[in-house]
Amino acid sequence: MEAARGDSGPHIAELIATHVIDVPGFPQDGIVFKDLSPLFADGPAFREVTDAVVDHYGGAFDVVAGIEARGFLLAAAVAYSTGVGVVPVRKAGKLPRQTHSASYALEYGTATLEVQADAFVAGHRVLVIDDVLATGGTAEATLSLVERAGGTLAGFTVLLELEFLGARHRLADRPVHALLTV
């Protein structure tokens, strides 16, 4: 069996790997959903993963943006741990006031994300967090939204990267930090 690997080392990668449940056929046939709910439910494991993200960036960000929905969980924990704010990147129609929006293709359809137009102070360094990096569509849309809303990208972190889908190539000019790569 191959050792778990990720950008924060084999221990964190293995910790996440042991907390992922594959769910075939969700949200549709042909997709294998990577359920990270067991990781979020395990307090010590969730703390260790949060600390790994904080350690990786060493405070080199001013605010954390979490991508709906599971990205909210880790983003809020990282923001709390470092004493910075957290900004939600939501599905279309969920945010009040003026927003920026970006539509994108994902492996089983299309979607639109939004962020409030005044979410970031000009020049603030924004750490973007999501649970899974698959094709890179969600990431690409979110990173462009951060910049359109005035933020400067400090980094992009995911718990799990599905390497075989090639998202790093799609995001080649962006800093990607994946705690587990499969």
Side-chain angles (χ1 to χ4, degrees):
M1 180 177 199
E2 183 180 321
R5 63 186 172 87
D7 296 332
S8 283
H11 171 72
I12 293 296
E14 184 63 27
L15 179 67
I16 294 170
T18 61
H19 285 82
V20 175
I21 297 174
D22 287 348
V23 182
F26 184 83
Q28 69 182 43
D29 287 342
I31 302 293
V32 178
F33 183 80
K34 300 292 188 178
D35 185 8
L36 289 159
S37 297
L39 175 69
F40 298 128
D42 181 332
F46 186 48
R47 177 185 297 261
E48 197 168 346
V49 167
T50 300
D51 291 346
V53 174
V54 170
D55 291 347
H56 178 75
Y57 289 98
F61 54 90
D62 302 304
V63 66
V64 182
I67 302 173
E68 188 166 343
R70 290 169 303 277
F72 292 168
L73 301 170
L74 186 57
V78 168
Y80 177 81
S81 178
T82 58
V84 303
V86 63
V87 171
V89 177
R90 304 277 329 252
K91 295 175 184 168
K94 302 288 186 178
L95 292 172
R97 300 185 292 115
Q98 183 179 356
T99 62
H100 292 295
S101 65
S103 296
Y104 61 98
L106 31 75
E107 59 271 33
Y108 47 84
T110 61
T112 300
L113 291 174
E114 295 180 334
V115 69
Q116 288 178 318
D118 62 354
F120 308 110
V121 174
H124 263 189
R125 300 165 301 165
V126 181
L127 172 59
V128 177
I129 297 180
D130 203 4
D131 62 334
V132 177
L133 177 60
T135 65
T138 304
E140 191 172 54
T142 300
L143 302 181
S144 72
L145 283 175
V146 165
E147 292 165 344
R148 283 177 43 210
T152 300
L153 183 64
F156 174 59
T157 289
V158 295
L159 294 175
L160 174 62
E161 174 189 8
L162 304 177
E163 185 176 45
F164 66 94
L165 292 174
R168 276 200 201 232
H169 177 71
R170 181 175 186 170
L171 302 172
D173 61 336
R174 308 293 196 157
V176 176
H177 172 241
L179 285 93
L180 171 63
T181 300
V182 297

